[in-house]
Amino acid sequence: MPCDTVAVRSRWDIAILRALKEGQNRPAMLQRHCPQIPRRTLYRRLKHLQQARLIEPTAQPPAPLHGGAVPAALRLTEEGERCLQVVQRLEAAGLSVDQIVQ
């Protein structure tokens, strides 16, 4: 199944997919990795990417934080991996991120 181009709507979506691929699998890690993304925007984009089935919560429970809170961990789905590969091919063909999301 090809990448749904409607699922990737902004440059932030691509930045988030790349960061997840690099192992930044929690919202706080993503925020540190991509500080230019406003926090509110990050959470909106994460929600959108989950609804588009490009990312999902991990099956393994992360270690609890101080106070018993458990941070959410995310990963790319197979569709998310394919979508990221399509983006990389388009970039290799000479398109910019802004051109890809248009």
Side-chain angles (χ1 to χ4, degrees):
M1 179 193 305
C3 173
D4 181 2
T5 55
V6 177
V8 177
R9 295 183 183 167
S10 78
R11 60 188 166 133
W12 302 132
D13 292 347
I14 294 172
I16 291 167
L17 293 176
R18 283 187 178 141
L20 285 169
K21 179 76 171 174
E22 294 172 10
Q24 311 300 319
N25 64 350
R26 289 182 171 70
M29 294 170 79
L30 290 165
Q31 186 69 61
R32 283 191 300 272
H33 187 76
C34 305
Q36 68 277 21
I37 302 175
R39 182 181 169 100
R40 188 176 206 178
T41 300
L42 172 65
Y43 282 93
R44 279 193 210 140
R45 300 319 311 151
L46 288 173
K47 182 177 178 181
H48 165 74
L49 291 170
Q50 267 191 286
Q51 290 172 342
R53 296 193 171 123
L54 298 180
I55 66 172
E56 64 187 4
T58 60
Q60 61 189 19
L65 295 174
H66 178 69
V70 178
L74 303 164
R75 72 177 187 94
L76 290 174
T77 61
E78 287 182 31
E79 183 64 19
E81 293 272 359
R82 283 192 293 270
C83 201
L84 193 52
Q85 289 173 357
V86 169
V87 168
Q88 291 168 337
R89 287 187 196 126
L90 292 171
E91 286 179 319
L95 293 175
S96 70
V97 171
D98 291 330
Q99 290 171 319
I100 293 169
V101 296
Q102 288 180 351

